[in-house]
Amino acid sequence: MSLSRSGTLQPPSRKRRDALSQTVLFIVLAAGSIVMIIPFLWMVMTSFDWGARLQLSFPPRLWPQDPSTKTYEAAFTNIPMAKYIWNSFLVSAGVILVSAVSALLSGYALSKIRFRGANIVLLLALSTMMIPFEMTMIPQYLLFSGVGLIDTYWAFYLPAMNYAFGTFLAKAFIDQLPSSLREAGVIDGASELSVFWRIYAPLCAPIVATMVILLFLGVWNDMLWPLLALKSSDKYTIQIGLAMFTYNNGLNQQPSIIMAATAVSLIPVVLVYLFLQRYIIESIALTGIKQ
């Protein structure tokens, strides 16, 4: 017999079952990690393989046969990577700013102001998440085309005002913050907007970081709507630029160069995630507290 963490006696058989379950869980997670890492590792290694610029090897090799950085030089020579990456940053930054501010304001209103019909408003906002984008992209395209916003970044910024999932996250997070902060601010004569920006907004850094990561991943990797909304090549985002280069040159003609360009396009995503990942754990822990 052994003592558990709570101080009670624990049968040996139960201890063995717990150890076995932990071992199985570790093996499953390790196998899943390997499955996810190997394609990424193969892409990175292929991007340094100058010998794979003409044809990919089969079976795939995880170490470059002819290691070289010429593939990256060729990628920046054949593809205006800097321009495409800058365009993607402009689109991502605008969408994140508009979506985060809209979600925080609406989440604060639904959480603290408690006006009549707040639950219905939240339900209607969340119901929009059940409508796939494929059903709304044509009406959205016709609407922006009619007002002359196609081939402008406003076609990305304006739809970002409706970020229902962010509203849900913001409301769940602000629900955990004490309402007495708002009451003290109102008593001191502060307006509702001042209470939000000066008191609650600084406390929402973890959930803002979570929204930044989710929005950045979605916008940076999106290709369907940018392909419809952008017509000028000098406004292309990185995903459209890579797709056009692949289409024009063929994947089997310059695979290592395409892999190099793809690896470069992933660097901002990895950096943003590594920098903000600790806030995701904090926001999930706080929003998961039972009220």
Side-chain angles (χ1 to χ4, degrees), residues 109-157:
L110 292 171
S111 176
K112 298 305 180 185
I113 298 180
R114 300 186 184 277
F115 55 91
R116 180 176 297 180
N119 293 332
I120 297 177
V121 172
L122 179 61
L123 180 61
L124 291 176
L126 294 178
S127 64
T128 60
M129 297 174 57
M130 296 184 292
I131 304 175
F133 175 71
E134 289 75 11
M135 292 184 61
T136 61
M137 65 178 181
I138 299 302
Q140 185 170 296
Y141 175 84
L142 294 176
L143 174 63
F144 285 114
S145 178
V147 296
L149 294 180
I150 290 297
D151 202 26
T152 68
Y153 292 152
W154 287 105
F156 300 91
Y157 301 155

Side-chain angles (χ1 to χ4, degrees), residues 169-202:
L169 290 178
K171 180 186 181 303
F173 186 88
I174 296 175
D175 282 343
Q176 310 304 322
L177 303 179
S179 300
S180 57
L181 296 176
R182 174 178 176 268
E183 296 171 359
V186 172
I187 292 174
D188 289 341
S191 63
E192 201 71 59
L193 195 60
S194 297
V195 170
F196 168 75
W197 283 115
R198 296 184 179 182
I199 300 177
Y200 284 95

Side-chain angles (χ1 to χ4, degrees), residues 22 87 99 110 124 127 146 178 194 232 239 245 275 284-285 290:
Q22 292 293 329
N87 292 342
S99 296
L110 292 171
L124 291 176
S127 64
S194 297
S232 304
Q239 300 303 330
F245 177 79
F275 181 73
I284 291 176
K290 185 177 180 181

